[in-house]
Amino acid sequence: MELEWFVYLSLILFSIGILGVLTQKTAIRILFSVELILNSANINFVAFNSYLQSTTSGTVIDQYMGWVFAMVVIALAAAEAAVGLAIFISLYRNFREIVVANIYELAESEEDE
Amino acid sequence: MAEAEKTLEIIKAFTGDSTADSMILMTAAIVLIPMVAAVLLIAIRYIEVRGKLQVSPLRAAVIGNLSILLSTGISITVLSMYFANYVKGIQTPYIEASWEFIAGTKLEWAFLIDPLSAMMGALLGIIALMIHFYAYDYMRHGEEEVTRFFAFLNFFTGSMWGFIYAGNLFNSLIFWELLGVSSYFLIGYYWYKPSASAAAMKAFLYNKVGDVGFLVGIFLTYGKTGGDLSYTHIFELIHKGELSASTLAVPAILIFLAAVGKSSQFPLFGWLPEAMEGPTPVSALLHSSTMVKAGLLLLMRNFLMLYDVGGFEAVLPDVSIPPAAIITWIGILTALLGALMATTSTDIKRILAFSTISQLGYIASAIGAGGLSPAFFHLISHATFKSLLFLCAGAVIHNLHHVQDIREMGGLYRHMKWTAITMGIGLLALAGFPFMSGFVSKDAVILSIANSDIPFKEGAQAIGLLTAAITAFYSTRMFYVVFLGEERYDKEKIVPHASSKLMLFPLITLASLVVIESIWFSIGLIAHLAELELPEIFLFEGFLGNMFGVHTPTDGALQGIIYSTIMVFIGMGAAIYFYKINPNARESIRSSLKFFEDFINNRFGVDIAIFWFVDHVALPIGNAFKTFDSVVVDGLVNFFGRTASLAIADFSDQFDQKVIDGIVNGSAYSIKYSVQRLRKLQDGIVGDYAKFMILGIGMLLLVFNLFFGKLALF
Amino acid sequence: MVEFFDFFFVINALFIVFSGLGVLFAKRVMQSALSLIFTLVGVANVFLLVNSEYLWVIQVSVYGGGIAVLLLFAGRLTSNEEDHFSFDRSDFLISFLFVLLILANLFVFISKSIPSQRGNIYTTDNGQLLLRQFFTNIWQANQGLGVILPFIALMFLAALLASVKLAIKEDE
Amino acid sequence: MSDSPISSFIQQVSDLAVQAISSFIPKDLKGGLPLMLVTIAIGSYIMILQLLGPFVERKVMARQQGRKGPYYVGFRGILQIPADLGKLLFKEDTRPENADWFGFFMSIYLIGLTSIMSFAPLPFSKALVGGNMSIGILYVFAIFSIFPPAMFIGGWASNSKYALIGGFRSAGQLLAYEIPMFLSILGVIGVVGSFSLIDMTEYQILNGWFMFKYWGFGLLAALIFYVAGLAETERIPFDIPEAEAELVMGPRTEFSGWRYAIIMMVEYVHLTVNSLLFIYVFFGGYDFWPFGKSNNPLIESWRHNELVQVATITIKFFLFVFFATTVRTAFPRMRIDQLLSFGWKQLLPASLVAMLGILFFAGVFS
């Protein structure tokens, strides 16, 4: 088990997430994809944290920085999910759907040319 | 004697003297209580006007009377404390305190207690209390707006108190103007009568002429005293010699102009007879101790600006036209003219008004002659008997259902005995019957003129004596015509009756006050003549002089007394002769002096001259300025506005349209042209933007990988 | 030598990747959410592999418990009955190419820059010790890191307020 | 073996197989016969608890309601529960027509798997424990937190409105009561300084049970934990998700056969685990002497006897089953809004107060 493995795993998960963000139609699935991206970042944080713990006799910050950052990311995701739920529900109430491509009220319509 | 140092020593209050402290606070309370009551009454009046409430006259009167009673009590307390401390020698004559009014300047709320203000405050309190008491009975019959009346009366009294206790010129000016405005309201109390509103306007405008002088005088003084207008500070400077009377001559004359307006001296006395349009209590208050005395008080306060004081002597300052001389001559002239006008007048209140003018002239001339103590002496006695006289006249008028012409009275002694007696006492004092208060004080005034350094002082003295005779004449005439002789009033409509007890109470009180004063003053006079050694308090004038620190020499006192006694008896005898013994002689003299009588009745043409001046000098100048403004200034403005600025505007308009709009429109067109092609990319779908972003990141990474190789991350 | 943890890592990585793809391609939103839960648990197991038990707990309880329920609610409350996954082919292909570009570049990048050191990635059997150290040192670490915990708290507060605001606004 | 090609091939293949199989077992677990025995012991013990718990509950409930309860199967009906289980296992497994296959399938697996996994760190004596891991009680909570989404998925996948509403309610309720539950034990964790349940119990052996300490704050925390635990197990009076009168059986409505058996098992597993957690955290764990260190050497020796410890915890467990049953028979059901507001508005602040009180009186702040 090497550091590279974790980084590659993270990379693949990240790519899946990016692909999801690009191709998904509904906002909620895009949010799922964003969670995947965040998790890939977390994998990197934790893996590098362990790597630094084992290789360096650095300061406390060097040894636990990754964990703290991972926790911050998780908290961020929780907050994001809470706000996201509210946004989705209000979107759904207004448009009766949350397909992102169909919600473009701010865009200028074609007839205004 | 160390008295000089003691009297000249000036001490600011709050130097640890708790008595002084509390006295100053009491002073503030004296001023504030009537004001607060006035505001309360005005509020009640407002509610009344809105129809929410109807307040009975009694309640309004109670509020007004109570506030005045309270203030009077406090003022008498202040006086007694002051005198107690003074007699014991504990305390200096000047107690002053000030509160900041405008931060960073010396313009402050200042209260000053000196003999002048302490005595005057107490006197005003007693008189105002009596008048308030009297006013309730006088006003309650058929008057609807008693609340308003008492509100303004309270306001008036409070303003006068504030003026009396004011500690610097600035503060004096404020209360001065409050006095003016409240007198305006009171004179115009019957506002629905055109004559009343005209009289109010006239009084206000005449006063304003003086006020302008006051304001300019304050400005000049302000510059010369380095920004501190406190009376004590000015005195200090004068005593130290940093300011001399010669440098203060102009402000002194300007301040005298203010006194001329307020105290109705020679050119500006026209408003005072007109002010009789107000209710009689107002006249009593206004003539006795409030408004007209304010100007004289102001002069007394600024006495050292008129005179240099050397030791105990007032010395005429070394100025080309000394203000003191002007004041004396104008004062004595006013006295003569007022007396003459009183002689020919037939309106009972106007006779008293003209006599007021005359007595004010006496006081002013005494001030000018350096007789500060005689002036204040006469001021006190005049305030007392004049308020008494007006109240009596009011009682008579009230009884006769608002008949004011003395020719329609007569024989009233039978019906209103007490009124006649009290009025007789007052008239005796006015006439200067020997050993009455008026006699003593008037004598002191004439003596002070005789002993002064005024140019042509002998002439002034003679005029003063002549005026005394005329005063005695018209006083006697008035008493005879009103109370004695045949009954000339309309007997079918009017049934005279004795004045009510409510009305009589103030009359008797004031009359007894006059009697007390007479006895007191006479003791002093006799003691002086007989060179007796009595306690200082009995020698009233000398007492005053000690307190003020300025003595008038008393040379020739006995001679003056003899002269004036003779003149008084001549005047009274003439009156009795012309009215009781031989009325036909009177009529013949009248017909022969018809022209002169008309001249007097026209007030010597002074008002006519003023009106002519306004019509033919002031208004044309004003119109000329107006024409200049409308033609030249407006023309210039319009010219620039119409032609020059229009041309500039046209040019800039063209520039704006051609150049700036061209640039703006051109850039807008080019941007629109390019944007119409680029906007296709912006389809409003976030996913598309994300794709482009990812593509960009990917290309960047590709570039890094291709051209920068291994990045030194570790 | 194939070790247990290597084996476990590979199995777990496959689990993560496939369930991650399941998130993308599941037919219904709820299936997708279930796949997401599996992915999250898989990632938590990755944490377990590098001795981060505490993060495992956080990941499972916060992500797998809290956030997943929220997302499930969101999915259930906002999806129509006939809301099935669909994508158009050309769009997907373009996106896939773009992502592939990034993937390839990053792969090259990582392979050039990450050191290849075997055996160092996890340390055995000192999890308890590390955790204690973590708890005792987190405050010192926090001093160095500035205001991490207040920041988290503030972020939660902001999110709470924002969602309440949104929810209330819609009720008007 | 000879050196024939076939045998050598077999040899190679078998070597590979041994290598592959042995790679599944961590190095320090190899050759773990004691471990195996312990596992078997713990498993059978849990099994017995699991089967006796519902029986005791039914019996007690019947007595409290004036009935006799299970009577016919086995001695005084003691085999009633295994009989029911067998019946359910052999029943036909039906699935609603439009049910989501994936969710319907996976939710049951998730629920069953996680509930059994939650037994891992629970010690039945000082030695008889699945794994004394550093995160101890946090592990239990983490595993428990998988339950709400799984239940929700199950409810949704049934394609039934009762099940769906039940799933919503279940998820909301569990989410609401997890937080006060965790906060109420946070004070104890702070005092002990460890998440391990064994450490907690040892601390209580030395210092007395937490429930009776800290001037009533321990009792307050214990009450909150117990109430929140009742809500977590979705039992009366907190059985909103499966309120029979409204929702038939809540999210469990469409499950039948072995799936239903697993769900029922999970319900009782939750009861068991919650009771045990309460016992470990507040009620002295496997200790029977609630006053801390004793001067009596007999008591001390008995306290550290493993068998006594197992017996203690068994007795305590059945005591708590009795409590839970009493609560079930005695209290009416709450409304959903009452339940949520009770959780968020009363229990949560109270748990914070309890935490601070425990920490204060334990001298953590000083």
Side-chain angles (χ1 to χ4, degrees):
Chain A
M1 214 160 41
E2 298 173 26
L3 181 61
E4 272 180 289
W5 295 13
F6 289 88
V7 179
Y8 289 143
L9 173 62
S10 153
L11 177 59
I12 292 167
L13 198 56
F14 176 77
S15 303
I16 292 171
I18 290 282
L19 190 63
V21 168
L22 291 188
T23 56
Q24 295 300 331
K25 295 288 188 289
T26 57
I28 184 143
R29 282 176 179 240
I30 291 176
L31 186 63
F32 291 171
S33 310
V34 173
E35 301 289 348
L36 291 184
I37 294 172
L38 290 176
N39 271 286
S40 73
N42 264 3
I43 291 175
N44 264 354
F45 277 132
V46 177
F48 277 100
N49 186 57
S50 278
Y51 173 77
L52 288 176
Q53 267 180 4
S54 60
T55 53
T56 63
S57 57
T59 60
V60 175
I61 296 173
D62 286 339
Q63 288 183 9
Y64 298 103
M65 184 83 117
W67 287 5
V68 172
F69 265 104
M71 274 195 282
V72 170
V73 168
I74 291 171
L76 182 82
E80 176 205 314
V83 178
L85 175 61
I87 290 173
F88 295 155
I89 288 171
S90 58
L91 266 183
Y92 187 70
R93 282 187 193 154
N94 285 329
F95 296 96
R96 307 310 301 171
E97 63 181 0
I98 51 168
V99 177
V100 182
N102 295 346
I103 299 167
Y104 49 88
E105 280 210 336
L106 278 179
E108 198 177 343
S109 58
E110 298 290 324
E111 300 86 54
D112 290 353
E113 290 279 338
Chain B
M1 190 176 173
E3 202 177 6
E5 285 78 35
K6 196 181 90 179
T7 49
L8 297 181
E9 186 181 81
I10 292 159
I11 283 194
K12 310 283 179 186
F14 297 114
T15 49
D17 187 351
S18 63
T19 321
D21 195 345
S22 61
M23 278 166 77
I24 288 292
L25 288 178
M26 283 156 79
T27 312
I30 291 169
V31 179
L32 280 177
I33 290 167
M35 296 279 195
V36 171
V39 171
L40 181 65
L41 285 167
I42 284 288
I44 293 172
R45 177 68 197 150
Y46 176 76
I47 298 168
E48 276 184 354
V49 169
R50 298 291 294 267
K52 299 278 166 55
L53 183 73
Q54 193 65 42
V55 176
S56 74
L58 181 61
R59 291 189 188 169
V62 164
I63 293 176
N65 273 317
L66 271 183
S67 64
I68 297 294
L69 180 64
L70 205 56
S71 280
T72 305
I74 300 173
S75 67
I76 291 172
T77 315
V78 167
L79 179 69
S80 55
M81 283 167 75
Y82 181 81
F83 273 117
N85 289 339
Y86 180 74
V87 169
K88 287 179 205 156
I90 291 174
Q91 181 181 290
T92 53
Y94 295 95
I95 300 171
E96 192 192 12
S98 54
W99 289 272
E100 194 172 66
F101 178 62
I102 299 171
T105 65
K106 285 294 228 172
L107 299 179
E108 295 166 321
W109 289 111
F111 287 100
L112 174 66
I113 302 178
D114 65 343
L116 201 64
S117 60
M119 272 190 270
M120 192 64 206
L123 184 69
L124 169 65
I126 294 165
I127 292 172
L129 183 62
M130 287 305 130
I131 290 169
H132 270 72
F133 194 75
Y134 174 90
Y136 165 61
D137 197 42
Y138 185 86
M139 297 300 288
R140 67 172 167 168
H141 302 294
E143 307 288 345
E144 289 175 353
E145 303 178 354
V146 179
T147 322
R148 177 162 67 94
F149 177 76
F150 273 102
F152 290 132
L153 207 58
N154 266 19
F155 188 53
F156 193 47
T157 317
S159 309
M160 186 61 198
W161 256 316
F163 180 79
I164 287 169
Y165 290 116
N168 59 27
L169 278 171
F170 167 71
N171 226 338
S172 294
L173 178 69
I174 290 173
F175 287 110
W176 180 272
E177 295 295 340
L178 287 178
L179 270 177
V181 76
S182 51
S183 71
Y184 173 78
F185 286 134
L186 283 170
I187 293 168
Y189 176 71
Y190 301 116
W191 49 271
Y192 38 83
K193 285 204 276 183
S195 59
S197 53
M201 186 61 76
K202 189 175 181 183
F204 198 68
L205 289 177
Y206 272 49
N207 274 321
K208 269 287 152 280
V209 176
D211 294 348
V212 172
F214 193 13
L215 196 58
V216 178
I218 285 178
F219 288 155
L220 293 176
T221 317
Y222 189 83
K224 282 173 183 166
T225 57
D228 195 345
L229 289 172
S230 168
Y231 292 125
T232 52
H233 181 69
I234 296 172
F235 294 170
E236 209 172 3
L237 290 178
I238 291 171
H239 278 299
K240 282 181 189 166
E242 292 176 13
L243 279 177
S244 69
S246 59
T247 55
L248 287 171
V250 176
I253 288 172
L254 285 168
I255 287 173
F256 174 61
L257 181 60
V260 165
K262 205 66 140 188
S263 298
S264 69
Q265 297 300 308
F266 162 55
L268 298 178
F269 55 57
W271 65 272
L272 194 59
E274 310 289 334
M276 293 305 108
E277 290 292 339
T280 306
V282 173
S283 307
L285 196 57
L286 191 135
H287 282 260
S288 61
S289 54
T290 49
M291 181 144 163
V292 294
K293 297 294 162 54
L296 300 172
L297 276 173
L298 186 68
L299 282 183
M300 290 187 209
R301 277 252 182 272
N302 296 295
F303 178 69
L304 290 175
M305 293 165 74
L306 313 173
Y307 262 92
D308 285 340
V309 175
F312 284 103
E313 303 290 329
V315 182
L316 205 60
D318 183 19
V319 191
S320 59
I321 305 173
I326 296 173
I327 292 168
T328 307
W329 273 100
I330 285 184
I332 206 72
L333 194 58
T334 311
L336 178 62
L337 298 183
L340 283 174
M341 287 188 285
T343 310
T344 60
S345 176
T346 56
D347 186 319
I348 185 169
K349 280 175 76 176
R350 294 204 175 195
I351 292 171
L352 294 174
F354 288 128
S355 84
T356 305
I357 293 174
S358 168
Q359 303 300 317
L360 293 175
Y362 269 125
I363 300 169
S365 66
I367 293 169
L372 189 57
S373 51
F376 192 56
F377 192 19
H378 194 53
L379 194 148
I380 289 173
S381 59
H382 174 252
T384 321
F385 65 67
K386 191 47 67 71
S387 58
L388 170 63
L389 285 175
F390 264 108
L391 294 189
C392 290
V396 171
I397 293 167
H398 193 64
N399 241 346
L400 296 181
H401 297 265
H402 296 276
V403 171
Q404 298 198 354
D405 196 334
I406 58 170
R407 286 169 300 188
E408 295 178 12
M409 300 176 183
L412 288 175
Y413 179 76
R414 264 156 267 154
H415 303 288
M416 28 203 318
K417 201 167 141 192
W418 279 105
T419 314
I421 290 170
T422 50
M423 188 151 188
I425 292 171
L427 283 173
L428 280 180
L430 170 62
F433 193 78
F435 302 109
M436 293 302 285
S437 63
F439 171 77
V440 183
S441 56
K442 200 186 293 174
D443 207 47
V445 167
I446 295 171
L447 191 63
S448 73
I449 296 173
N451 286 325
S452 66
D453 305 330
I454 301 296
F456 312 116
K457 62 181 178 184
E458 290 80 9
Q461 192 187 1
I463 294 174
L465 286 171
L466 177 62
T467 309
I470 299 171
T471 308
F473 176 78
Y474 70 72
S475 310
T476 317
R477 161 181 174 257
M478 183 177 158
F479 186 79
Y480 180 81
V481 173
V482 173
F483 289 105
L484 304 174
E486 57 178 313
E487 300 175 2
R488 294 180 296 275
Y489 50 86
D490 189 353
K491 287 174 188 167
E492 291 177 2
K493 287 182 185 170
I494 299 165
V495 181
H497 53 86
S499 299
S500 70
K501 282 177 185 167
L502 279 176
M503 269 194 184
L504 272 181
F505 172 71
L507 298 186
I508 293 169
T509 312
L510 284 171
S512 47
L513 194 60
V514 171
V515 171
I516 291 168
E517 279 179 3
S518 302
I519 295 167
W520 186 8
F521 298 167
S522 303
I523 289 172
L525 180 65
I526 293 164
H528 176 68
L529 292 177
E531 295 181 353
L532 292 172
E533 288 293 328
L534 286 177
E536 198 183 31
I537 194 76
F538 291 111
L539 306 169
F540 189 71
E541 197 206 334
F543 174 61
L544 278 181
N546 274 349
M547 295 192 77
F548 292 141
V550 179
H551 282 283
T552 312
T554 51
D555 304 336
L558 188 61
Q559 198 184 357
I561 288 167
I562 293 167
Y563 282 156
S564 55
T565 312
I566 292 169
M567 294 313 278
V568 167
F569 279 116
I570 286 173
M572 290 178 73
I576 292 167
Y577 175 75
F578 281 126
Y579 281 87
K580 185 169 172 70
I581 301 169
N582 193 357
N584 294 328
R586 178 191 56 171
E587 289 304 319
S588 63
I589 287 175
R590 267 189 74 184
S591 56
S592 63
L593 291 178
K594 181 81 172 116
F595 166 75
F596 188 57
E597 189 184 353
D598 287 346
F599 181 58
I600 293 172
N601 276 342
N602 282 330
R603 294 175 202 158
F604 308 99
V606 172
D607 276 9
I608 296 168
I610 289 172
F611 291 152
W612 183 90
F613 177 80
V614 170
D615 278 345
H616 293 88
V617 181
L619 280 180
I621 291 172
N623 283 331
F625 275 116
K626 185 186 169 190
T627 314
F628 178 80
D629 181 52
S630 62
V631 174
V632 180
V633 179
D634 284 7
L636 281 173
V637 169
N638 287 338
F639 170 75
F640 282 112
R642 291 210 180 111
T643 55
S645 60
L646 269 183
I648 294 170
D650 274 343
F651 174 73
S652 58
D653 184 40
Q654 290 296 320
F655 182 80
D656 186 41
Q657 282 186 357
K658 297 277 163 55
V659 181
I660 296 175
D661 283 9
I663 292 170
V664 172
N665 287 338
S667 55
Y669 278 130
S670 58
I671 287 169
K672 188 181 177 187
Y673 181 79
S674 51
V675 159
Q676 273 177 347
R677 272 138 193 83
L678 283 173
R679 68 190 298 181
K680 296 285 195 290
L681 289 177
Q682 191 184 3
D683 51 5
I685 296 169
V686 183
D688 290 353
Y689 302 159
K691 284 192 193 73
F692 287 117
M693 191 186 85
I694 295 298
L695 180 63
I697 293 171
M699 296 310 278
L700 269 179
L701 283 171
L702 188 64
V703 169
F704 274 126
N705 274 331
L706 287 181
F707 298 108
F708 297 95
K710 183 178 178 181
L711 246 80
L713 267 186
F714 291 96
Chain C
M1 179 66 188
V2 181
E3 285 193 14
F4 172 75
F5 284 114
D6 292 353
F7 194 79
F8 184 77
F9 178 84
V10 172
I11 297 287
N12 195 32
L14 287 175
F15 178 71
I16 288 171
V17 169
F18 279 111
S19 56
L21 288 172
V23 171
L24 260 62
F25 299 111
K27 274 195 171 168
R28 304 168 81 161
V29 177
M30 299 298 274
Q31 291 175 354
S32 171
L34 193 57
S35 293
L36 181 68
I37 292 172
F38 286 141
T39 316
L40 298 174
V41 173
V43 173
N45 290 338
V46 172
F47 295 163
L48 208 57
L49 276 179
V50 288
N51 274 320
S52 305
E53 289 115 334
Y54 185 67
L55 273 183
W56 179 85
V57 168
I58 297 266
Q59 173 89 2
V60 170
S61 62
V62 176
Y63 246 129
I67 298 176
V69 169
L70 275 182
L71 294 178
L72 283 171
F73 272 22
R76 187 54 231 163
L77 288 173
T78 59
S79 61
N80 294 321
E81 285 304 316
E82 60 274 5
D83 173 34
H84 285 183
F85 173 68
S86 66
F87 61 89
D88 62 66
R89 197 172 294 269
S90 62
D91 190 47
F92 181 81
L93 267 177
I94 289 170
S95 306
F96 187 71
L97 283 176
F98 289 174
V99 172
L100 211 59
L101 182 67
I102 285 188
L103 187 66
N105 277 304
L106 280 178
F107 192 84
V108 173
F109 190 77
I110 289 165
S111 62
K112 277 183 182 174
S113 52
I114 299 286
S116 181
Q117 282 172 300
R118 188 180 168 78
N120 272 337
I121 191 62
Y122 73 97
T123 51
T124 52
D125 205 23
N126 59 351
Q128 180 102 13
L129 185 69
L130 276 176
L131 192 75
R132 280 177 183 278
Q133 269 184 358
F134 180 64
F135 269 112
T136 49
N137 292 339
I138 187 79
W139 300 110
Q140 300 172 25
N142 205 7
Q143 286 168 6
L145 288 169
V147 283
I148 289 296
L149 291 183
F151 169 69
I152 294 173
L154 278 179
M155 198 168 65
F156 269 121
L157 186 65
L160 202 65
L161 289 179
S163 35
V164 167
K165 168 79 177 159
L166 278 169
I168 286 174
K169 198 177 174 185
E170 286 301 320
D171 279 350
E172 286 171 359
Chain D
M1 284 292 177
S2 65
D3 51 354
S4 66
I6 297 169
S7 62
S8 64
F9 175 74
I10 291 170
Q11 183 69 38
Q12 280 180 349
V13 169
S14 61
D15 281 355
L16 267 176
V18 166
Q19 203 176 341
I21 291 166
S22 61
S23 73
F24 278 95
I25 303 168
K27 277 173 190 160
D28 49 350
L29 294 184
K30 273 176 187 170
L33 188 64
L35 190 105
M36 210 166 174
L37 286 176
V38 165
T39 309
I40 289 168
I42 291 176
S44 51
Y45 177 73
I46 290 171
M47 196 73 188
I48 290 164
L49 283 190
Q50 274 306 110
L51 291 178
L52 276 180
F55 171 73
V56 169
E57 183 183 7
R58 289 179 71 172
K59 269 294 192 193
V60 170
M61 198 160 66
R63 290 295 171 198
Q64 283 169 346
Q65 290 169 344
R67 298 186 280 113
K68 279 185 174 166
Y71 194 75
Y72 294 104
V73 186
F75 174 69
R76 288 183 173 262
I78 202 165
L79 294 178
Q80 180 67 44
I81 303 299
D84 282 349
L85 192 60
K87 176 192 75 178
L88 283 173
L89 287 178
F90 291 111
K91 269 190 142 183
E92 185 193 2
D93 174 26
T94 59
R95 188 157 59 84
E97 193 177 351
N98 288 322
D100 186 84
W101 178 83
F102 187 65
F104 202 74
F105 181 74
M106 288 313 294
S107 64
I108 291 301
Y109 273 110
L110 266 179
I111 291 166
L113 197 67
T114 52
S115 63
I116 291 176
M117 277 170 74
S118 62
F119 277 105
L122 305 183
F124 298 99
S125 72
K126 195 172 180 183
L128 199 63
V129 57
N132 180 19
M133 47 184 88
S134 63
I135 46 178
I137 192 161
L138 284 185
Y139 168 86
V140 181
F141 274 95
I143 290 293
F144 263 23
S145 71
I146 296 290
F147 184 67
M151 208 63 235
F152 185 75
I153 289 279
W156 164 77
S158 309
N159 195 27
S160 156
K161 60 185 174 186
Y162 301 126
L164 182 62
I165 295 171
F168 269 116
R169 286 185 179 185
S170 171
Q173 173 180 340
L174 293 177
L175 215 61
Y177 281 83
E178 232 171 53
I179 295 164
M181 193 173 179
F182 182 69
L183 281 178
S184 64
I185 63 163
L186 210 56
V188 174
I189 290 173
V191 172
V192 176
S194 166
F195 293 120
S196 166
L197 291 167
I198 289 182
D199 286 354
M200 284 187 192
T201 309
E202 293 296 322
Y203 189 92
Q204 290 182 77
I205 288 174
L206 281 179
N207 297 310
W209 297 358
F210 285 123
M211 200 169 161
F212 306 118
K213 289 183 75 174
Y214 308 128
W215 300 99
F217 283 104
L219 195 62
L220 178 63
L223 267 178
I224 292 162
F225 186 84
Y226 189 72
V227 172
L230 278 180
E232 284 284 294
T233 53
E234 299 181 0
R235 291 172 63 85
I236 290 176
F238 301 106
D239 64 335
I240 304 296
E242 58 156 301
E244 308 98 30
E246 313 161 20
L247 298 180
V248 189
M249 275 297 273
R252 306 157 178 77
T253 306
E254 300 294 340
F255 294 100
S256 63
W258 62 273
R259 298 178 204 269
Y260 185 74
I262 284 182
I263 285 181
M264 291 310 289
M265 178 203 78
V266 166
E267 209 169 280
Y268 284 99
V269 165
H270 276 177
L271 176 64
T272 312
V273 172
N274 269 311
S275 304
L276 286 175
L277 275 186
F278 185 88
I279 289 164
Y280 291 130
V281 177
F282 293 106
F283 210 64
Y286 42 73
D287 177 31
F288 63 87
W289 185 252
F291 308 115
K293 208 171 222 173
S294 170
N295 293 326
N296 191 337
L298 186 65
I299 291 178
E300 282 297 307
S301 64
W302 277 81
R303 283 171 105 177
H304 292 97
N305 188 319
E306 305 270 334
L307 281 175
V308 173
Q309 285 172 352
V310 171
T312 308
I313 207 152
T314 311
I315 292 164
K316 278 181 180 177
F317 169 71
F318 283 112
L319 187 67
F320 272 86
V321 169
F322 174 74
F323 284 161
T325 314
T326 313
V327 169
R328 183 175 173 179
T329 50
F331 284 98
R333 182 184 301 131
M334 291 174 95
R335 243 180 16 242
I336 179 77
D337 55 329
Q338 288 171 341
L339 176 119
L340 288 178
S341 73
F342 178 67
W344 288 110
K345 291 179 187 168
Q346 270 104 39
L347 279 191
L348 188 57
S351 62
L352 282 170
V353 169
M355 180 185 88
L356 289 176
I358 288 175
L359 290 181
F360 178 77
F361 284 109
V364 172
F365 291 137
S366 57

